[in-house]
Amino acid sequence: MNLDALSALRVSGGLQCDEISIQVSGFKHAAIPIICASIILNRDLILENCPKVLDIDIFSEILRESGGIVNFSGRSLILDSHLLRPSYPSKELTNAVHGTQYLFLAFLLRFEEARFGTSGGCSLDKRYAKGRPTEHLAAILGEFGYAFEESETFFYGRRSTHLDRNVVIDIRDYSDRSDVVTGPQVSGATKFAILCSLTNTQSTTILHPYYKPDVLELLEYLEMSGFSVQSSRNRIDIRRTDFEKFLPKFQLVSCPSEVMTFVALAVMSAKPLRIHQIVKMDRLRAGLDAEFRCLDGMNLIPEIINEDLILTPPYRLKSLDIEVTSQSIYSDHQPFFALMLSKVEAQQTSSITEKVWKDRFSYADEMNKLGLNMRQAEGSLSVTSSTFDRCPPRIEAQDLRGAAALLLAIICNPLLTETCLHGWHHLVRGYDGLVDKLEGLGVTFSQMG
């Protein structure tokens, strides 16, 4: 479906399939820092299993305007940044996605000075008037000898001093809590520090890092590029070596969030699920360990056979209390757990406590319009088992994963006649062809100008 002209996504028919049989795309949150690393290192890149999402489109447009060569061949992004030159992308372009913070960093580290329009992305925490924090970007850059300025319309950075020392970054300094490393700056601070390490002539040590598949993919890319990398859950050590490898081809792990999206769809529709040909199954499974433990606690046990993930009904769900931290389930996935927990048996109540993006419950009131029973408090959500009992004409999504969870709820509503999802455009930032994939499962969408 051509989504470009849609102000809302009209849904008028649910799943028309006996089994949800699907293949998921590559992981956007791993693609972005790897693209940036290749720019910093001035290396060619063939990024296999790369998702075609808005972040990548924006990156490609900025890079082409700056002299880079970017193309897609099948599922591979091909990047040649040798002729890249400094540029000043406008706020109108950079503000479309959060990932341009990383691209700004890449240009700054490559050219030692950069000026970009400010970045955007979902507004997930009312503590940040501009939607996403930048304090950790400024602090990490300062540790590596760069000055950073921010206005309402632009980021500016420049090399202020040339370092010749070992750098130690403790991610606990960017945590909201002292007892566990968590909060909205933890993931970004870890990846910013890794990218800055590429220009450090000495060693970089990152203590108590965020340690999920997007970070592990980036560290693997560094090793493939000739860096010495020693890593564990509590420490990452990165050092340049004299040996320069040149291995431009890298295959991305499958997207954990898309996997969880289809797990939720299977549970809500009571249909069997088979996700085919997952790329780097071991890495994906390890990255979803906290999610699998929650699924097990809910009496859901996915089965892994070779490179396929299988989930089989009947689904008799148990209530569960979930705490979301940077070390537990992805914050991106709590809307899917909230949706699934609405199906637990016997009017039980579950809870989700959010310790990363504390206001990430904008979907709850919209779910209630469908008849579900979700109640917000400060930083938490209670979910009582309930059933769909109405078909509202309009549902409004405020962020990416909330939009996806609301779309699943609309599709699985047995009373569905027609519901329009406003804010559907958030989906294109995080999913490669989600609407097309759902159409392939029999969901009926129609144009709405």
Side-chain angles (χ1 to χ4, degrees):
M1 173 181 286
N2 180 5
L3 297 174
D4 292 342
L6 299 188
S7 61
L9 191 62
R10 181 186 286 131
V11 189
S12 54
L15 293 173
Q16 302 296 320
C17 60
D18 295 326
E19 177 188 50
I20 300 170
S21 180
I22 204 78
Q23 188 170 355
V24 301
S25 304
F27 192 18
K28 177 192 81 167
H29 290 306
I32 286 170
I34 288 172
I35 291 170
C36 291
S38 75
I39 292 167
I40 296 165
L41 296 172
N42 195 10
R43 300 281 181 85
D44 290 333
L45 176 65
I46 301 172
L47 192 58
E48 298 179 331
N49 197 34
C50 184
K52 296 180 180 179
V53 295
L54 184 61
D55 292 63
I56 305 300
D57 290 342
I58 296 292
F59 273 40
S60 298
E61 185 172 348
I62 292 172
L63 291 171
R64 290 184 185 116
E65 289 180 355
S66 307
I69 301 171
V70 190
N71 294 296
F72 260 95
S73 176
R75 305 305 305 171
S76 296
L77 177 140
I78 302 170
L79 169 63
D80 178 350
S81 64
H82 292 301
L83 298 179
L84 201 65
R85 59 183 182 276
S87 66
Y88 177 25
S90 69
K91 179 181 177 181
E92 287 69 32
L93 187 60
T94 61
N95 200 243
V97 294
H98 169 60
T100 46
Q101 279 195 20
Y102 292 91
L103 194 56
F104 162 77
L105 179 65
F107 271 64
L108 174 57
L109 297 177
R110 170 82 172 263
F111 299 113
E112 299 197 338
E113 185 174 21
R115 182 183 175 97
F116 262 45
T118 52
S119 64
C122 298
S123 181
L124 301 173
D125 194 319
K126 61 188 177 185
R127 290 176 293 174
Y128 303 105
K130 298 178 182 179
R132 296 297 181 97
T134 56
E135 297 91 339
H136 56 318
L137 173 59
I140 295 292
L141 283 171
E143 293 287 342
F144 286 89
Y146 289 86
F148 174 79
E149 299 175 23
E150 179 182 6
S151 76
E152 289 295 324
T153 58
F154 68 85
F155 295 149
Y156 172 75
R158 60 178 176 81
R159 168 76 80 174
S160 58
T161 183
H162 285 271
L163 298 184
D164 187 23
R165 63 175 176 83
N166 299 333
V167 175
V168 179
I169 304 291
D170 193 337
I171 302 302
R172 290 180 300 187
D173 294 339
Y174 306 94
S175 175
D176 283 353
R177 290 168 54 175
S178 59
D179 58 330
V180 61
V181 178
T182 192
Q185 300 184 44
V186 166
S187 170
T190 301
K191 286 180 273 192
F192 290 150
I194 294 170
L195 291 172
C196 285
S197 76
L198 302 181
T199 61
N200 186 11
T201 58
Q202 302 300 314
S203 69
T204 300
T205 297
I206 304 167
L207 303 176
H208 309 101
Y210 176 81
Y211 205 68
K212 296 263 188 173
D214 35 341
V215 164
L216 297 179
E217 292 280 277
L218 179 57
L219 294 177
E220 182 183 340
Y221 177 77
L222 264 60
E223 287 185 293
M224 290 174 59
S225 300
F227 285 77
S228 169
V229 178
Q230 303 294 324
S231 71
S232 69
R233 288 192 173 275
N234 291 317
R235 181 180 177 126
I236 298 170
D237 290 290
I238 302 167
R239 179 182 287 274
R240 280 180 172 271
T241 65
D242 294 332
F243 177 59
E244 290 286 331
K245 295 182 181 178
F246 187 71
L247 299 170
K249 187 177 291 186
F250 189 93
Q251 186 178 43
L252 281 177
V253 66
S254 293
C255 179
S257 296
E258 195 171 351
V259 168
M260 290 305 303
T261 301
F262 284 105
V263 166
L265 178 61
V267 170
M268 297 306 295
S269 64
K271 294 185 181 295
L273 170 69
R274 180 180 288 268
I275 301 178
H276 297 279
Q277 298 176 331
I278 289 176
V279 177
K280 298 182 179 176
M281 175 64 87
D282 289 346
R283 176 160 292 168
L284 179 121
R285 174 61 185 86
L288 287 175
D289 182 65
E291 281 81 353
F292 271 63
R293 283 187 274 112
C294 288
L295 292 172
D296 183 63
M298 295 167 60
N299 199 35
L300 292 167
I301 305 175
E303 183 181 7
I304 293 173
I305 299 178
N306 297 323
E307 305 306 315
D308 292 0
L309 183 145
I310 298 165
L311 192 62
T312 306
Y315 306 123
R316 298 186 179 90
L317 272 62
K318 297 179 180 178
S319 63
L320 187 69
D321 295 331
I322 299 173
E323 182 178 71
V324 182
T325 74
S326 299
Q327 312 297 329
S328 65
I329 74 166
Y330 280 93
S331 178
D332 276 12
H333 301 165
Q334 55 97 339
F336 305 125
F337 278 99
L339 183 59
M340 290 187 286
L341 287 168
S342 72
K343 285 182 67 77
V344 302
E345 298 178 339
Q347 291 296 304
Q348 299 176 74
T349 297
S350 305
S351 70
I352 297 175
T353 304
E354 175 65 73
K355 298 293 187 181
V356 180
W357 298 103
K358 297 180 181 180
D359 301 312
R360 195 174 195 161
F361 299 113
S362 64
Y363 59 84
D365 288 343
E366 302 301 299
M367 292 288 189
N368 293 339
K369 292 179 182 178
L370 291 155
L372 302 186
N373 188 351
M374 300 185 183
R375 296 290 179 266
Q376 297 183 61
E378 183 66 31
S380 67
L381 182 77
S382 65
V383 183
T384 302
S385 58
S386 49
T387 58
F388 298 108
D389 64 8
R390 68 201 79 156
C391 180
R394 177 190 177 106
I395 291 291
E396 185 80 36
Q398 301 295 328
D399 62 76
L400 166 58
R401 303 304 172 188
L406 288 166
L407 180 58
L408 301 188
I410 293 168
I411 289 169
C412 296
N413 181 2
L415 302 178
L416 176 64
T417 54
E418 180 177 288
T419 297
C420 294
L421 177 64
H422 292 255
W424 67 269
H425 60 276
H426 292 293
L427 297 171
V428 301
R429 289 190 288 104
Y431 291 95
D432 182 350
L434 179 61
V435 169
D436 291 337
K437 290 172 182 176
L438 291 171
E439 282 187 317
L441 297 172
V443 180
T444 303
F445 299 100
S446 56
Q447 299 278 355
M448 181 178 179

